[in-house]
Amino acid sequence: MLSDPFAQFDLWYSERLATGVSYPDSFSLGTADPGGAVSVRTVLLKEYSHEGFVFFTNYESRKGSQLSKNPLAAMLFYWPESSRQVRIEGKTSRVSEDDSIAYFRSRPRESQIGAWASNQSRAISGRSFLEARYSEFEEKFRGKDIPKPPYWGGYRIIPSWFEFWQEGFHRLHHRTVFRLQKGIWITEILAP
């Protein structure tokens, strides 16, 4: 195990990307409202560095609403083909508007239209309503560049805790934790 949790993540994540599995960038994101009610969903990792882990979403979605009131979040990467998982916990902040615009412009046109068409996490009358909204925005932006919706952008999870888990024989799994304490990463080995 490397002494820097970001370097260790990079090593395992690079191996994951090389497997050719579908959605190698997927992870489960846990958020909670101010009362502590937790919800989890799968999102896609779009960037990571020592500054944190970035994903994009509708700020008015359930996760966006929860993060605006309680910025703490947890991530879980589960990689069954390598018998590994990585858990990360930390505080979130929005990425810059310029970074959100740059990423939005890199998305396929259909996904850009979808961001306008979907009022994410809100109840709708049915699939036909969503398809009609998609058609409406497809027509609105025909032949034009599609601007980023004002309610859409990125979040960065700034880690304060990592756990690297590797399956072991006889269920004696390997668990290494990195905890940020006064700016220094403290390493601990946990019993499985």
Side-chain angles (χ1 to χ4, degrees):
M1 189 70 50
L2 301 175
S3 60
D4 175 358
F6 293 96
Q8 184 63 46
F9 179 84
D10 188 54
L11 176 67
W12 278 15
Y13 188 65
S14 296
E15 291 174 7
R16 166 78 171 171
L17 294 177
T19 65
V21 298
S22 296
Y23 299 106
D25 52 350
S26 66
F27 68 92
S28 298
L29 172 69
T31 58
D33 67 19
V38 177
S39 61
V40 178
R41 78 287 289 154
T42 301
V43 298
L44 301 177
L45 178 67
K46 293 302 176 184
E47 171 189 324
Y48 67 94
S49 69
H50 277 79
E51 293 178 7
F53 295 78
V54 176
F55 67 94
F56 291 85
T57 191
N58 183 318
Y59 291 141
E60 296 174 355
S61 66
R62 184 175 184 191
K63 64 184 148 319
S65 175
Q66 287 180 334
L67 290 172
S68 72
K69 298 175 182 104
N70 178 356
L72 301 178
M75 310 168 69
L76 170 65
F77 295 88
Y78 176 55
W79 302 324
E81 70 285 343
S82 60
S83 301
R84 291 174 174 164
Q85 71 178 13
V86 180
R87 295 171 51 208
I88 301 169
E89 297 175 4
K91 191 173 184 176
T92 61
S93 65
R94 287 187 181 186
V95 303
S96 73
E97 183 69 3
D98 287 345
D99 287 348
S100 289
I101 290 169
Y103 175 69
F104 187 81
R105 288 181 179 156
S106 76
R107 301 178 85 206
R109 187 172 181 83
E110 295 80 9
S111 297
Q112 293 176 350
I113 294 169
W116 280 97
S118 174
N119 292 328
Q120 194 176 30
S121 301
R122 295 206 179 108
I124 58 174
S125 58
R127 182 79 187 173
S128 59
F129 172 82
L130 186 60
E131 290 170 356
R133 280 188 53 91
Y134 185 91
S135 294
E136 173 189 326
F137 283 105
E138 188 176 38
E139 185 57 36
K140 177 179 179 174
F141 295 122
R142 188 173 308 281
K144 301 176 187 170
D145 287 338
I146 302 173
K148 182 190 78 63
Y151 49 80
W152 191 96
Y155 284 99
R156 176 174 282 106
I157 300 175
I158 302 148
S160 57
W161 187 90
F162 286 81
E163 180 187 14
F164 294 90
W165 179 96
Q166 175 76 58
E167 185 175 23
F169 292 113
H170 313 298
R171 302 200 57 80
L172 297 177
H173 311 307
H174 304 272
R175 295 177 66 193
T176 304
V177 166
F178 293 85
R179 233 178 347 100
L180 191 60
Q181 188 173 341
K182 297 181 181 177
I184 298 171
W185 288 104
I186 307 298
T187 308
E188 298 174 321
I189 305 299
L190 301 184

